[in-house]
Amino acid sequence: MSGRPLKDITRQDSHLSRLTAAAQELMALDRAFKKLIPSALAEACRAVRIRDDELVLHADNGIVAARLRMTAPGLLPQLAERGYPASKVKVKVTLQQAQPKRAKWLAISENALDGMEQAADCIGNPEVKRALARLIAHHRRS
């Protein structure tokens, strides 16, 4: 595999260069739109494109879509000032599949547990000493 930067690779192929430029323009549109809305709302939507004078937005759920339908038309003049003119808004709900949560897993070696036991003997605070003893016991059972 080549160690060349992506910019060098995209410059060599005109089709890839056009795709890269289009992707950067779409990302700039999304950033410009998200600067105009509250951050909590910005995390749950994306400005996808402007086609036929219509700004297309994707929302993660129906509540976000409803909020965008109410607020986005009022943001069109500000977006036009930033170089993205559109006269209407279309909002689509694109449900995001939740990523399965990974189980938290921590393995402490026997040597580390032995060292923790020795360190616990030097601790004067009884609450910390009990908490450390519970942690050691828990990991010895696992």
Side-chain angles (χ1 to χ4, degrees), residues 9-24:
I9 295 169
T10 59
R11 283 187 204 129
Q12 291 177 351
D13 184 340
S14 63
H15 182 68
L16 192 53
S17 179
R18 284 191 308 274
L19 284 175
T20 302
Q24 289 172 340

Side-chain angles (χ1 to χ4, degrees), residues 1 12 20 23 25 43 48 52 61 82 108 110 126 129 133:
M1 191 164 188
Q12 291 177 351
T20 302
E25 181 65 23
E43 291 175 11
V48 179
D52 299 328
N61 58 57
R82 289 172 168 76
I108 300 176
E110 283 298 319
K129 200 173 210 171

Side-chain angles (χ1 to χ4, degrees), residues 11 28 34 45 50 52 67 78 83 91 108 113 126 133 141:
R11 283 187 204 129
K34 287 182 177 183
C45 68
I50 295 177
D52 299 328
R67 179 104 186 258
Q78 295 171 24
V91 180
I108 300 176
L113 291 172
R141 284 190 303 257

Side-chain angles (χ1 to χ4, degrees), residues 8 34 50 57 75 102-103 112-113 136-137:
D8 291 345
K34 287 182 177 183
I50 295 177
L57 303 172
L75 301 174
R102 292 182 5 196
L113 291 172
I136 293 167

